[in-house]
Amino acid sequence: HIAVSGSALPYLDHTVTLDATTQAGYDGTPSIDVDGALLGGVGIDGCISDTGGMVVQGFVIRHFSGAAVRFDDGGGNVIQGNYLGTDVAGTLAQPNQVGVWLAGGADNSIVGGSGAGEGNLIAFNTEDGVRVNGPAGILILGNSIYANGHIGIDLPGGTVDPFAVTVNDTNDVAP
């Protein structure tokens, strides 16, 4: 494993692919560890961008006081094959505040996938596993999402309790 300790990934203001699966030694589990444990402050995200078409795959991202991965604008982002909120083995709690946060115009983004190795492990984060706050057309599939502090997938907008489960709308197809 390669450890990047004490710093977040840089703020990304242009489309880029961050693909740790291409690193030597990658064996189907994340091999680059981005650990924010040494960072002070509140609301520090592991990876943040407001540009569309971003790809983040094959990382362990843990110990951030904000989101492990946050996209505020720009759609068509892909987040696959990551461990968010766990140790490098995927077994111990090493939480972020939120695993994945999609806000604003991050429309048509994908969290996980149906192919081998595309699902994310999103666990032990202090708030939500995945928070979708505004964008449309989001696909969340093939992930293992459990043991997060609030709920696994948060679709804010409820009128009674902002942390309650949001009822599917008429366009959602439930299994």
Side-chain angles (χ1 to χ4, degrees):
H1 284 91
I2 299 171
V4 180
S5 189
S7 74
L9 295 170
Y11 178 82
L12 303 169
D13 61 358
H14 60 282
T15 300
V16 67
T17 296
L18 300 173
D19 186 355
T21 67
T22 62
Q23 298 302 304
Y26 178 78
D27 63 0
T29 59
S31 61
I32 296 184
D33 177 17
V34 182
D35 187 349
L38 300 178
L39 298 175
V42 176
I44 298 172
D45 300 308
C47 175
I48 183 169
S49 178
D50 62 1
T51 303
M54 303 293 296
V55 175
V56 178
Q57 73 183 42
F59 289 89
V60 175
I61 305 177
R62 58 194 175 125
H63 288 138
F64 284 93
S65 58
V69 178
R70 180 176 175 163
F71 294 129
D72 287 334
D73 279 310
N77 303 294
V78 177
I79 304 161
Q80 294 179 327
N82 300 289
Y83 289 3
L84 308 175
T86 74
D87 65 338
V88 296
T91 57
L92 297 177
Q94 299 192 342
N96 303 289
Q97 180 184 23
V98 174
V100 175
W101 191 340
L102 302 171
D107 299 328
N108 303 310
S109 293
I110 300 170
V111 179
S114 57
E118 292 180 348
N120 299 286
L121 171 57
I122 305 171
F124 309 119
N125 297 289
T126 59
E127 292 186 8
D128 304 319
V130 177
R131 180 179 292 165
V132 179
N133 207 6
I138 303 301
L139 293 177
I140 303 170
L141 63 158
N143 300 291
S144 180
I145 304 172
Y146 62 91
N148 293 286
H150 289 167
I151 60 176
I153 301 172
D154 186 13
L155 306 172
T159 57
V160 178
D161 181 353
F163 296 111
V165 174
T166 305
V167 178
N168 281 347
D169 62 44
T170 56
N171 296 319
D172 290 339
V173 178

